[in-house]
């Protein structure tokens, strides 16, 4: 009878022995935060900023680990394959979950099953920009007839096939009835000189890369891909205001862990992220970098992914991008 009581007591205590919820409260050691894009980029910078906040709130280091390559797939796989004990999480691009499954025949992870959603992280809107010296249009309403009148149409730049930059540009060309040639670069650092020289007439690119050059007057912002006007560019209309409601979507990023991460850990992370991101000073700092901080429940994050999946699927179809 004594042995039976001991066994029952042990069985009753099993839930408390889960990896992240053992005798010591989580976290009792450093948390690894995986980023799937290169150091110094916008996602890396914002992740480190957020990790500073998390370290202060949890009393443990949140250590950023770069796993870049394959359009963010390497980092996403590292998160998906990690031990689900709450000590490995990461920041993931919506691109890895909504677009890459349509462009890669064999992804090393299942976008629908291999992750535990924690919270949305930030919106990083795209902006339609033209070079001031080479394009006379100051609005999309002026740009469309100007572009249509060109014998060979226009060239639009992006950082690669299937990126939100490519899909947004292709969608704009299709909806406006403009003959557009897609030209790929390694990033805005190459796209911008090509635009300033007149080789590229337009790009619907990440706002963060263009804020300084827009402020200098070398580029003209025609519209932003957000539902509301961007706080840092209050005079620039949204795509919907400019007549292209289907382009009211842009890139964004989120926090996730491997599937099976204990729900109490997920809930606490989500709550602390939301609390930290509500700080007005932190929000203003992010806006200055061309981003808007977000904080959601896991359920709200899952709903947004479900809501946008068919939208990006349609944009992939219109772009003509094919699976690799």
């Amino acid at each position: 009878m004594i042995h039976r009581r001991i066994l029952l007591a042990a069985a009753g205590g099993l839930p408390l022995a889960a990896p992240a919820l053992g005798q010591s409260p989580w976290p009792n050691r450093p948390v690894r935060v995986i980023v799937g894009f290169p150091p110094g980029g916008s996602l890396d910078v914002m992740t480190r900023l957020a990790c500073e906040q998390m370290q202060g709130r949890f009393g443990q280091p949140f250590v950023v680990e770069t796993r870049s390559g394959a359009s963010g797939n390497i980092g996403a796989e590292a998160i998906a394959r990690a031990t689900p004990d709450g000590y490995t999480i990461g920041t993931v691009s919506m691109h890895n979950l909504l677009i890459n499954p349509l462009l890669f025949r064999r992804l090393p992870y299942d976008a629908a099953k291999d992750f535990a959603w924690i919270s949305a992280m930030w919106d990083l809107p795209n902006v339609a920009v033209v070079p001031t010296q080479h394009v006379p249009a100051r609005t999309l309403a002026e740009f469309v007839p100007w572009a249509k009148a060109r014998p060979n149409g226009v060239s639009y730049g992006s950082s690669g096939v299937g990126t939100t930059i490519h899909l947004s540009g292709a969608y704009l060309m299709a909806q406006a009835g403009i003959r557009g040639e897609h030209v790929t670069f390694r990033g805005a650092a190459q796209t911008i000189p090509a635009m300033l020289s007149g080789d590229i007439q337009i790009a619907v690119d990440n706002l963060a890369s263009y804020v300084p050059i827009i402020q200098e007057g070398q580029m003209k912002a025609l519209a932003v891909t957000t539902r509301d006007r961007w706080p840092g560019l209050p005079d620039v209309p949204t795509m919907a205001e400019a007549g292209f409601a289907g382009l009211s979507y842009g890139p964004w990023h989120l926090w996730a862990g491997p599937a099976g991460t204990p729900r109490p850990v997920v809930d606490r992370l989500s709550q602390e992220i939301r609390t930290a991101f509500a700080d007005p000073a932190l929000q203003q700092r992010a806006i200055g970098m061309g981003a808007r901080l977000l904080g959601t429940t896991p359920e709200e994050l899952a709903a947004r992914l479900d809501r946008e999946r068919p939208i990006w699927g349609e944009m992939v179809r219109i772009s003509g991008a094919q699976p690799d």
Side-chain angles (χ1 to χ4, degrees), residues 32 45 79-80 120 123 137 152 154 166 183 191 193-194 196 219 232 236 294 312 315:
R32 182 172 62 144
V45 170
I79 296 170
D123 277 323
N152 297 318
V154 297
H166 168 217
V183 181
T191 306
L196 294 178
M219 293 272 191
V236 178
L294 304 173
W312 288 105
M315 293 177 75

Side-chain angles (χ1 to χ4, degrees), residues 135-149 178 220 222 242:
V135 176
R138 295 295 177 266
T139 65
L140 271 181
E142 294 178 1
F143 177 80
V144 171
W146 176 84
K148 286 183 175 180
I178 297 171
K220 176 66 178 179
L222 304 184

Side-chain angles (χ1 to χ4, degrees), residues 125-129 203-207 210 214 221-225 233 236:
N126 287 337
V127 59
V129 289
V204 189
D205 208 337
N206 294 161
L207 172 62
Y210 288 80
I214 290 172
L222 304 184
V224 291
T225 62
L233 298 171
V236 178

Side-chain angles (χ1 to χ4, degrees), residues 49-93:
L49 177 63
C51 284
E52 291 176 7
Q53 300 293 315
M54 294 299 101
Q55 181 167 322
R57 289 181 170 277
F58 288 98
Q60 290 289 344
F62 276 62
V63 183
V64 174
E65 180 178 316
T66 301
R67 294 285 191 92
S68 61
S71 192
N73 289 341
I74 291 176
E77 180 187 12
I79 296 170
R81 300 288 174 258
T83 301
D85 58 4
Y87 288 95
T88 298
I89 60 174
T91 50
V92 184
S93 170

Side-chain angles (χ1 to χ4, degrees), residues 5-16:
R5 287 175 181 171
I6 292 173
L7 289 173
L8 287 173
L14 282 177
L16 296 178

Side-chain angles (χ1 to χ4, degrees), residues 10 22 41 74 230 268 314:
I74 291 176
W230 189 252
R268 187 176 175 204
E314 176 65 7

